[in-house]
Amino acid sequence: MSVRVSGLSVLPPVRRDRIIVQLPKYFRREAAVHTKDEFNNKVKTACQEQRTGTVGFKISKVIVVGDLAVGKTCLINRFCKDAFDKNYKATIGVDFEMERFEVLGVPFSLQLWDTAGQERFKCIASTYYRGAQVVIIAFDVNDVTSLGHVRQWLEDALRENDPTAVQLFLVGTKKDLSSPAQYSQIERDALELAQEISAEYWAVSSLTGENVNEFFFRVASIAFETNVLAELEKSGTRQIGEVVRISSTSNSLNATSKKKGPNCCQ
Amino acid sequence: MALQGPEELGEQVEEPEDQDASGISPAEEITLPPGPGGDEEPGQTLLLPWDRFSTWLHCICVVGFDLELGQAVEVIYPHHSKLSEKEKTSICYLSFPDSNSGCLGDTQFCFRFRQGSNRKSSLSCFLETTDRDAPPCLKREQGHYYGYVYFRQVRDKSLKRGYFQKSLVLISKLPYVTFFHSLLKIMAPEYFEKQEPCLEAACNDIDRWPTPHPGRILTLPIMGVVIKVRIPTCYDKPGASQLVQSSQSDSLVSIVLPTIHEVDLFRCFSPVFFHIQMLWELVLLGEALVVMAPSPAESSDTVLALVSCISPLRYCSDFRPYFTIHDSEFKEYTTRTQAPPSVILGVTNPFFAKTLQHWPHIIRNGDMKQAGEMAKQMKVKKLKNLKTLDSKPGVYTAYKPYLNKDEEIIKQLQKGVQQKRPSAAQNAILRRYFLELTQSFIIPLERYVASLMPLQKSISPWKSPPQLRPFIQQDFMKTLEKAGPQLTSRLKGDWIGLYRNFLKSPNFDGWFRNRRREMTQKLEALHLEALCEEDLQVRVQKHTEVETVDLVLKLKDKLDQAEREQLPVRPGTLNKLKAHIDAVILALPEDLQGILHKPATP
């Protein structure tokens, strides 16, 4: 979507620390959306050649779900505001943040919808889930029950969406609170679950900031890549004939045809 | 206080976050994170909980039907919102259709009602500054509220009445009809399905919105989608559309509204298409007009279309997009003992056909035509032919237009219909036509009023600012010979007569007051600038201490006024003035310095 306003500059430039030129690495090889080192060639070419043209301004909707008090809001606040508030304040309904990036020279925004974990808001959650391209399911690495509820959250989130068009991330929070031994134990379970549900696994600490930026950069990049590929597929040869011909020799076609990610191919 | 159903009361006890919110004392300012817009002024971060919500909405009401009570306000959200009993009664009646037609399914319309009690918002100072850049017709209402309604009526055998009937109503002072209707379209169906938590979440969403600041692109998250809007400013080029959605793929999660307030003129006027120019005159002159329509959706759209057809002029009299026999102004507006007031009413109740029989101008709107159809009726109808609401669509009036009919616009639009031109394009053509007509009319007035400004050289820093010269009708009429509307409009007719009548209308009064205020402020600003250019030190040396103190006090007064009224001074002027004041104070004896400095230093 582009916004045109007569005689006004619409948006300030993207923050310097939100510019992505290289595909960020996955967290664990065994549970990643894909394990390539670089952005898909088709995507790179499209961005290079059509810097200002058809690629345009893009948005992906991200929803963050998970049990009460696992730290969904803290995770977003650490990334978007670089802040951490020790006091717990339940989210009423839903919080929202818009985070702007520039990926491969193209402006890209993530709509981050931070949903309430409370039972009371379950009934309205589906409204907020609609149209999500990325689902982040958060659990507390110190709380096995919260990991146990992940499947339920996934089911709820996917009910409103096309499961094949959604990128999944499973994020363990509050890593700072667990000992290495405890952590590695729960990581094993989490990795197993991530593989089963085809999610990319991450572990973070919103308190220390460990892996938080890396995680969201990865989310933004994967979402961007998927978004551009989908657009290229849709517009077909009409707009980007050149690009399709070039990339048809590359081996990255499976990323568009199998949106579920390569876990199933490994 | 909010009226609450029993089940909600029970729920409230279990709401820890509600207590959270009320636990924050209103006196302690908390710093909210900058809203989703991201590029806001620092001043906005000092808003309290519910302040952001209040800049958009006064409250949200749920109006239901009780077998014993009739319509009743079931819920007011947020619960602390205040509405007087009289206001609640108005909202109740105005939130339900009262016409014969069934309105089965979902209907959207809007109404406008008088604010009952004078409640001054603690935000009002802040709101004034955000309102300053808005075009006249988009400024916040002073004494009225708008109600934006989403009414659902469906058969439900489990209910005694046999029907489920409920309205979700947004109460606001902002005239953003298209925006609020889009908002309701997202919110209301969810609410009817999921009840109270949905309202709570939606209000929470709205309380995180950036304030409605003209000129900025606003990103407004609501119920899982993001609405993007831009509120026009008074500096925009008229007629230019501002926001464009170019990519379909984002439409699921992101909605771009090209306009926040414009209704589809072509659709609204299609039943009375041949008389658009006459309607423009009637609205311009503030004539008493009533729109009789089959449903509130049609009456409210048509009234809003009428009011907006003289844009950029603001329609200054009262108007009621939907008016019922229960309205508290019913007696006042329908009395036969006085001439009909300068108002535009939209009604649907057949009873009005009789009550308002004596009104001079009546628009009878049948079902609105889809694009492609158009009224064939040409003649203006005699009033005596209007007996009931079943009478044929048309304009019933004895009014003789001042201007000759413009056949070209009629032909152009007819051709559009034949060629199946999209309705949006037809609407744009009609809107531009009205805009050019209004501008042709207003330019001579603007030019004359500008000539009332005193000459720059008559501004002396040591005298009070010169006065605007008075508006003299004869003088203005004389200017029309050479610089009248004939310069910009090909329309012939009795322009002089039209102006003469317009000068007596509330619309002129409102326009001129506004113009005069702007020009007086401009004079104050020029005066201030002249004062800043003076060498005050030199002047002070020639005067006594008493006179110097007097000067300091006067300058401080000026400074206060400039800041309060946001006078249009050149940037840097106020700082210059502050420096002047400080310098003059420093030249005084120390004991006096202490006294004079006090209020200035924070």
Side-chain angles (χ1 to χ4, degrees):
Chain A
M1 173 195 49
S2 85
V3 178
R4 254 187 279 150
V5 174
S6 51
L8 288 170
S9 108
V10 177
L11 293 164
V14 173
R15 275 169 53 179
R16 276 166 165 270
D17 57 356
R18 292 285 184 266
I19 293 175
I20 302 174
V21 287
Q22 189 70 39
L23 179 69
K25 222 179 156 198
Y26 47 83
F27 180 67
R28 288 280 183 270
R29 171 167 269 281
E30 52 271 52
V33 168
H34 65 63
T35 53
K36 297 185 190 71
D37 300 328
E38 288 195 50
F39 278 108
N40 183 304
N41 271 332
K42 274 204 262 183
V43 174
K44 277 202 279 188
T45 324
C47 292
Q48 256 165 28
E49 294 186 349
Q50 311 186 15
R51 200 163 287 274
T52 54
T54 47
V55 173
F57 178 72
K58 306 196 163 302
I59 286 186
S60 277
K61 175 170 175 173
V62 180
I63 54 171
V64 186
V65 299
D67 273 7
L68 192 73
V70 296
K72 299 180 289 295
T73 307
C74 283
L75 176 64
I76 288 178
N77 283 349
R78 167 55 79 194
F79 180 65
C80 297
K81 298 169 195 155
D82 198 22
F84 185 83
D85 187 351
K86 278 198 174 68
N87 301 315
Y88 176 65
K89 192 177 164 290
T91 302
I92 302 172
V94 173
D95 275 350
F96 173 84
E97 291 292 337
M98 185 89 143
E99 198 61 38
R100 295 170 51 230
F101 297 85
E102 190 186 294
V103 189
L104 297 174
V106 177
F108 180 66
S109 289
L110 286 187
Q111 278 184 8
L112 296 165
W113 295 88
D114 168 20
T115 61
Q118 279 178 312
E119 195 60 33
R120 195 160 63 89
F121 289 109
K122 271 262 170 81
C123 66
I124 58 152
S126 61
T127 312
Y128 287 88
Y129 294 165
R130 225 166 274 157
Q133 282 125 303
V134 175
V135 176
I136 298 174
I137 309 174
F139 73 97
D140 180 348
V141 296
N142 311 287
D143 176 8
V144 189
T145 357
S146 69
L147 181 63
H149 291 153
V150 164
R151 277 179 189 280
Q152 187 56 48
W153 285 111
L154 174 67
E155 198 181 302
D156 290 348
L158 290 188
R159 199 176 299 138
E160 297 296 324
N161 291 295
D162 172 8
T164 60
V166 167
Q167 306 289 337
L168 272 184
F169 289 85
L170 178 64
V171 182
T173 58
K174 310 188 189 179
K175 190 159 177 268
D176 55 281
L177 292 181
S178 75
S179 68
Q182 278 172 325
Y183 173 72
S184 62
Q185 199 179 345
I186 200 159
E187 194 191 62
R188 225 173 302 135
D189 296 344
L191 280 172
E192 198 178 307
L193 177 63
Q195 282 164 359
E196 282 171 32
I197 62 174
S198 302
E200 174 158 319
Y201 173 72
W202 281 74
V204 301
S205 164
S206 305
L207 178 75
T208 65
E210 183 188 350
N211 285 338
V212 172
N213 278 352
E214 291 80 352
F215 168 63
F216 278 105
F217 274 55
R218 176 80 177 165
V219 170
S221 305
I222 296 285
F224 175 80
E225 193 176 56
T226 317
N227 195 318
V228 174
L229 282 173
E231 198 103 321
L232 290 175
E233 196 171 79
K234 214 172 22 178
S235 52
T237 50
R238 185 167 45 89
Q239 287 174 334
I240 39 101
E242 201 70 66
V243 180
V244 169
R245 199 153 38 76
I246 291 166
S247 55
S248 58
T249 53
S250 83
N251 57 356
S252 52
L253 271 173
N254 62 339
T256 45
S257 50
K258 286 193 179 169
K259 285 179 182 126
K260 263 283 187 181
N263 281 315
C264 42
C265 322
Q266 279 180 352
Chain B
M1 254 324 279
L3 300 176
Q4 293 170 338
E7 71 285 351
E8 262 177 78
L9 279 172
E11 208 175 290
Q12 268 225 310
V13 183
E14 299 161 7
E15 280 178 70
E17 336 47 68
D18 257 15
Q19 281 153 16
D20 256 24
S22 56
I24 298 161
S25 106
E28 96 188 52
E29 281 183 342
I30 59 155
T31 313
L32 282 177
D39 51 346
E40 284 175 44
E41 293 172 353
Q44 293 213 8
T45 53
L46 295 175
L47 294 172
L48 297 167
W50 293 114
D51 275 357
R52 286 166 185 276
F53 178 91
S54 306
T55 62
W56 288 93
L57 291 174
H58 177 66
C59 64
I60 301 178
C61 298
V62 177
V63 181
F65 197 93
D66 183 288
L67 268 182
E68 258 122 64
L69 301 171
Q71 284 108 302
V73 176
E74 290 174 356
V75 185
I76 297 179
Y77 213 91
H79 296 311
H80 63 260
S81 319
K82 287 191 176 60
L83 284 176
S84 68
E85 283 310 315
K86 202 176 154 194
E87 285 167 336
K88 273 191 232 165
T89 312
S90 295
I91 293 169
C92 280
Y93 285 118
L94 292 167
S95 298
F96 271 43
D98 72 345
S99 57
N100 281 335
S101 57
C103 288
L104 260 182
D106 292 359
T107 313
Q108 285 189 261
F109 58 93
C110 91
F111 58 82
R112 190 171 171 268
F113 65 103
R114 248 181 228 173
Q115 181 174 341
S117 50
N118 190 22
R119 58 181 76 87
K120 189 108 175 131
S121 159
S122 58
L123 280 174
S124 54
C125 197
F126 172 74
L127 296 179
E128 265 163 42
T129 55
T130 60
D131 236 20
R132 195 172 38 117
D133 297 331
C137 56
L138 283 182
K139 286 191 198 293
R140 213 168 270 277
E141 288 277 348
Q142 294 303 323
H144 289 86
Y145 284 114
Y146 279 92
Y148 300 99
V149 184
Y150 192 104
F151 172 73
R152 174 168 286 185
Q153 174 162 273
V154 283
R155 225 174 240 293
D156 184 345
K157 290 215 175 94
S158 68
L159 296 174
K160 231 181 184 175
R161 203 171 149 84
Y163 283 98
F164 170 91
Q165 294 170 308
K166 211 166 255 204
S167 282
L168 187 67
V169 190
L170 309 179
I171 306 293
S172 173
K173 296 211 148 194
L174 296 171
Y176 305 163
V177 56
T178 320
F179 169 73
F180 285 118
H181 279 332
S182 309
L183 181 61
L184 273 172
K185 218 170 260 165
I186 296 167
M187 277 174 66
E190 296 293 334
Y191 167 72
F192 289 128
E193 205 175 304
K194 291 155 190 168
Q195 308 297 315
E196 186 87 339
C198 175
L199 223 47
E200 198 182 338
C203 288
N204 189 60
D205 282 345
I206 296 171
D207 198 37
R208 298 174 50 84
W209 286 1
T211 52
H213 210 109
R216 293 191 194 146
I217 309 267
L218 304 175
T219 304
L220 313 172
I222 184 85
M223 318 229 72
V225 295
V226 171
I227 307 178
K228 275 202 179 174
V229 293
R230 180 180 177 277
I231 298 161
T233 71
C234 50
Y235 317 111
D236 292 352
K237 217 174 121 209
S241 180
Q242 300 295 340
L243 283 179
V244 185
Q245 177 146 21
S246 71
S247 163
Q248 293 290 306
S249 61
D250 298 325
S251 56
L252 256 183
V253 292
S254 178
I255 299 165
V256 177
L257 290 183
T259 170
I260 56 161
H261 65 289
E262 288 173 352
V263 290
D264 187 341
L265 293 181
F266 183 71
R267 191 177 57 89
C268 292
F269 288 143
S270 67
V272 289
F273 171 70
F274 291 100
H275 313 299
I276 44 171
Q277 201 185 322
M278 176 171 74
L279 295 179
W280 174 83
E281 281 189 21
L282 291 174
V283 176
L284 183 73
L285 298 179
E287 288 282 329
L289 253 170
V290 60
V291 176
M292 298 185 178
S295 75
E298 279 144 344
S299 80
S300 58
D301 272 0
T302 307
V303 169
L304 292 175
L306 285 168
V307 166
S308 72
C309 79
I310 59 165
S311 161
L313 268 182
R314 184 192 174 108
Y315 180 79
C316 294
S317 302
D318 194 4
F319 59 96
R320 305 298 176 94
Y322 175 51
F323 190 74
T324 74
I325 51 173
H326 303 288
D327 207 287
S328 43
E329 276 78 58
F330 177 75
K331 278 222 175 83
E332 179 186 333
Y333 283 166
T334 57
T335 172
R336 279 170 177 266
T337 54
Q338 289 165 16
S342 168
V343 293
I344 302 179
L345 302 182
V347 302
T348 62
N349 196 317
F351 184 68
F352 279 107
K354 219 170 151 226
T355 321
L356 298 180
Q357 238 176 32
H358 64 295
W359 272 42
H361 321 290
I362 296 168
I363 299 173
R364 170 79 189 96
N365 231 351
D367 287 318
M368 271 181 210
K369 303 274 188 297
Q370 292 301 308
E373 283 179 74
M374 200 186 282
K376 295 189 181 65
Q377 208 77 35
M378 285 283 288
K379 273 198 189 127
V380 175
K381 295 181 164 89
K382 299 237 166 58
L383 271 164
K384 64 174 197 297
N385 292 336
L386 184 88
K387 294 263 161 41
T388 64
L389 261 184
D390 299 325
S391 303
K392 283 197 175 131
V395 181
Y396 294 75
T397 178
Y399 179 82
K400 291 274 173 296
Y402 287 95
L403 303 182
N404 300 345
K405 197 166 196 162
D406 189 340
E407 301 290 348
E408 271 187 48
I409 180 71
I410 305 278
K411 273 188 209 143
Q412 195 184 357
L413 289 172
Q414 274 179 323
K415 207 170 147 197
V417 172
Q418 283 156 12
Q419 296 173 342
K420 301 213 167 18
R421 192 185 287 144
S423 160
Q426 294 279 75
N427 176 44
I429 291 171
L430 191 51
R431 191 167 287 283
R432 199 179 57 226
Y433 169 76
F434 280 132
L435 181 69
E436 284 170 5
L437 191 55
T438 308
Q439 278 179 330
S440 292
F441 181 79
I442 207 74
I443 287 169
L445 276 162
E446 293 277 8
R447 198 179 288 132
Y448 172 72
V449 167
S451 77
L452 301 179
M453 190 82 167
L455 295 174
Q456 173 95 38
K457 66 178 182 209
S458 66
I459 297 171
S460 154
W462 306 113
K463 285 186 210 142
S464 26
Q467 298 276 309
L468 278 184
R469 291 189 287 119
F471 188 105
I472 299 166
Q473 187 172 335
Q474 277 169 317
D475 290 358
F476 165 66
M477 291 297 183
K478 263 184 229 148
T479 68
L480 292 177
E481 286 165 29
K482 281 195 183 119
Q486 68 274 13
L487 295 182
T488 47
S489 173
R490 58 174 186 273
L491 275 187
K492 298 274 184 289
D494 183 11
W495 284 94
I496 304 281
L498 188 61
Y499 280 111
R500 193 165 285 136
N501 242 311
F502 176 71
L503 297 184
K504 288 184 277 189
S505 77
N507 289 336
F508 169 73
D509 191 56
W511 173 82
F512 184 62
R513 268 170 207 266
N514 189 38
R515 236 36 215 97
R516 193 169 51 196
R517 195 181 56 242
E518 282 170 11
M519 288 164 74
T520 309
Q521 284 189 342
K522 182 72 197 162
L523 276 173
E524 293 278 354
L526 289 172
H527 182 246
L528 203 65
E529 282 165 11
L531 201 56
C532 287
E533 296 308 317
E534 285 296 299
D535 190 341
L536 296 183
Q537 306 291 63
V538 174
R539 186 166 175 97
V540 165
Q541 279 161 14
K542 292 187 209 148
H543 287 78
T544 63
E545 194 178 288
V546 183
E547 284 170 312
T548 308
V549 171
D550 185 56
L551 175 68
V552 169
L553 294 177
K554 276 190 179 141
L555 290 178
K556 281 189 170 180
D557 253 9
K558 273 267 178 199
L559 187 65
D560 275 354
Q561 186 201 6
E563 283 172 345
R564 195 177 55 240
E565 294 177 19
Q566 304 221 312
L567 291 184
V569 287
R570 276 201 301 268
T573 304
L574 295 189
N575 284 338
K576 230 183 209 171
L577 185 63
K578 276 180 201 150
H580 272 322
I581 295 174
D582 289 346
V584 174
I585 291 175
L586 278 176
L588 287 166
E590 262 184 39
D591 51 343
L592 267 178
Q593 281 186 26
I595 296 169
L596 290 172
H597 249 308
K598 257 179 210 157
T601 45

